[in-house]
Amino acid sequence: MSDNSNTASAGTAPLNSASNSLYPARRRGKHKIFIGMAPGVGKTYRMLEEGHALKQEGIDVVVGLLETHGRKETAEKAEGLEIIARKQYPQGELTLTDMDTDAILKRCLATSPFASTPQLILIDELAHTNVPDSPREKRYEDVEVVLAAGIDVYSTMNVQHLESLNDLVARITGVVVRERVPDRILNEADEVVLVDVTPETLQERLLEGKIYAPQKIQQSLDNFFQRRNLIALRELALREVADNVEENANATTPNGQFCNIHERVLVCVSTYPNSVQLLRRGARLANYMNAPLYTLFVADSERFLTKEESLHIHTCEKLCKEFEGTFLRVTNSNVANAIAQVAEKYRITQIVVGESQRSRWQMLLKGSLTQKLVRLLKNIDLHIIASEKMVSPK
């Protein structure tokens, strides 16, 4: 996340404008997101728990917006923390309430005994859509305003609210999520914490009335809170946090070094007939590791493929796609270097190759592909698959 951004979200005055001239310029606040697979895993409770711990350390902790949804334990956990009053929005005969971002800025930025003290705002439900007539449409936009003012924010969200997962979540659960958060919000966060429980524990909490009112329990169990849905959502949440950790780790490692948390399998095929066998073995390996599959063919720029060879490579590409993999074709006279370059680009962790087809005399003179790969590759497992030997009839 950039520390030199001082621009507020659209629809608000810049924080260094005349209306905010009393407030000194600050560094951009840091953002920590608590994410979970579904409502009820304990994201808000964990956020409040950490808020209390930081308050004990002398940090000025304020609750900007809290959604308890009638959960007694959550409400009790908020006791002892200052809570900013919600802003009221008259809507005909009704009065709606929502987070008061201006009040948060006034509380934290005005001259006060806390002027030189680190400040933290706790804001629940990042994906929430604000009530009509609010200055901004989405709560995450309000969070960006608070961060731009130099105030640290802790917030919460469920994985199904992530924009890029919207279609996948709809296929899994049959529910189209209307409130969504752009992926960039999660990517730009300084820290993402997974709050996790087992699907069985979450269903127990639901039955005990700790998530929804009694009249909604059975309906929830029959729909969104089905065990198969929770298992899939949990895996999405785990993967999302792992991706975030991997990206942050790679951003801080020296050039040429990578921190690979996810497994990625690369199968190297050639014009030899055993390539189909390699692909099947690689696909089984990828499936076992729940990893993406890549297939690579390195074309020699100094020779053309025969019609039969071209057809063979086409068969490999078709089979790769049947395994839901990605087929890559590069041109390079140095096969080992080409494989190493692709492995680095796609952060490969497992490579599948066939045993050398060269004679022992050729290997003594030029070395085998396997030997070259061992020298070139670092922190990558190399699987050498022997060719199936045909047994001749007696």
Side-chain angles (χ1 to χ4, degrees):
M1 178 181 289
S2 174
D3 287 340
N4 58 7
S5 174
N6 294 312
T7 304
S9 297
T12 61
L15 293 170
N16 57 359
S17 66
S19 61
N20 291 293
S21 59
L22 295 176
Y23 306 142
R26 300 183 176 196
R27 54 89 179 163
R28 183 176 175 84
K30 295 190 177 298
H31 190 193
K32 183 174 182 176
I33 300 176
F34 296 86
I35 191 170
M37 64 175 171
V41 296
K43 302 178 299 298
T44 303
Y45 191 92
R46 173 76 177 275
M47 179 177 72
L48 292 169
E49 196 171 47
E50 292 200 14
H52 277 288
L54 291 171
K55 183 180 178 182
Q56 291 295 319
E57 296 177 10
I59 293 176
D60 181 22
V61 180
V62 178
V63 178
L65 195 288
L66 177 65
E67 300 281 10
T68 66
H69 297 289
R71 297 164 193 163
K72 181 181 177 182
E73 293 87 352
T74 304
E76 290 176 347
K77 198 64 183 176
E79 293 177 2
L81 294 175
E82 178 186 347
I83 301 177
I84 301 292
R86 296 181 181 226
K87 186 174 182 178
Q88 296 187 346
Y89 294 88
Q91 302 287 327
E93 297 181 358
L94 297 175
T95 299
L96 304 178
T97 64
D98 214 330
M99 187 169 76
D100 193 337
T101 304
D102 290 337
I104 291 172
L105 296 177
K106 183 177 180 180
R107 159 65 176 80
C108 294
L109 299 181
T111 303
S112 71
F114 299 106
S116 60
T117 303
Q119 294 171 307
L120 172 65
I121 296 292
L122 310 183
I123 298 176
D124 218 357
E125 297 194 358
L126 196 58
H128 172 79
T129 299
N130 294 335
V131 302
D133 298 332
S134 296
R136 286 157 291 275
E137 181 183 359
K138 304 289 292 188
R139 187 167 291 164
Y140 69 78
E141 295 175 324
D142 288 300
V143 166
E144 290 185 298
V145 171
V146 175
L147 290 169
I151 304 163
D152 294 341
V153 175
Y154 281 7
S155 63
T156 66
M157 66 173 288
N158 291 317
V159 70
Q160 68 263 26
H161 294 289
L162 198 60
E163 181 70 52
S164 64
L165 297 178
N166 191 250
D167 294 336
L168 180 57
V169 169
R171 288 198 299 270
I172 292 171
T173 66
V175 176
V176 178
V177 179
R178 302 297 180 188
E179 295 186 321
R180 300 189 292 274
V181 174
D183 287 48
R184 67 173 178 81
I185 298 296
L186 201 67
N187 294 336
E188 294 171 359
D190 295 273
E191 188 175 354
V192 179
V193 176
L194 176 66
V195 182
D196 184 47
V197 297
T198 65
E200 292 77 15
T201 298
L202 191 59
Q203 287 181 326
E204 287 175 11
R205 289 183 182 179
L206 182 64
L207 288 168
E208 291 169 358
K210 294 182 178 180
I211 301 177
Y212 294 135
Q215 61 270 23
K216 293 183 62 178
I217 293 176
Q218 192 57 51
Q219 179 186 359
S220 299
L221 283 171
D222 293 339
N223 294 284
F224 192 84
F225 278 76
Q226 291 182 58
R227 186 173 180 275
R228 63 178 179 82
N229 289 348
L230 296 179
I231 290 173
L233 290 170
R234 188 188 192 196
E235 183 175 341
L236 287 179
L238 289 166
R239 285 190 172 214
E240 200 59 44
V241 173
D243 282 340
N244 187 272
V245 170
E246 183 175 281
E247 288 173 7
N248 289 340
N250 286 325
T252 57
T253 53
N255 290 336
Q257 298 181 26
F258 296 95
C259 172
N260 292 321
I261 294 173
H262 291 306
E263 298 285 357
R264 298 176 179 87
V265 177
L266 175 68
V267 179
C268 301
V269 298
S270 67
T271 56
Y272 292 116
N274 71 335
S275 292
V276 172
Q277 176 194 354
L278 297 182
L279 248 173
R280 290 182 179 133
R281 290 289 291 274
R284 287 200 297 272
L285 181 65
N287 185 60
Y288 174 75
M289 294 181 168
N290 200 16
L293 172 69
Y294 297 86
T295 302
L296 171 65
F297 171 66
V298 180
D300 190 340
S301 58
E302 297 178 0
R303 68 178 291 265
F304 292 101
L305 298 180
T306 65
K307 183 178 180 180
E308 184 178 346
E309 288 173 335
S310 295
L311 183 60
H312 172 72
I313 298 303
H314 177 72
T315 299
C316 291
E317 181 176 1
K318 183 179 178 182
L319 186 59
C320 173
K321 291 179 180 178
E322 287 179 7
F323 290 134
E324 298 183 346
T326 302
F327 190 87
L328 307 169
R329 182 177 181 136
V330 299
T331 301
N332 196 321
S333 57
N334 190 317
V335 176
N337 283 346
I339 293 172
Q341 290 167 7
V342 169
E344 179 178 335
K345 179 179 180 180
Y346 291 92
R347 300 180 189 174
I348 300 299
T349 61
Q350 310 283 333
I351 294 181
V352 177
V353 297
E355 64 178 346
S356 178
Q357 302 292 325
R358 288 183 169 183
S359 67
R360 292 186 179 181
W361 180 248
Q362 287 175 315
M363 285 191 284
L364 283 172
L365 289 176
K366 299 183 178 180
S368 69
L369 174 63
T370 303
Q371 292 169 338
K372 294 176 182 178
L373 288 176
V374 169
R375 289 194 296 267
L376 288 170
L377 302 174
K378 295 180 180 179
N379 302 319
I380 298 177
D381 293 337
L382 192 60
H383 303 261
I384 305 167
I385 309 301
S387 300
E388 293 182 352
K389 302 295 190 298
M390 298 298 294
V391 179
S392 55
K394 295 182 179 178

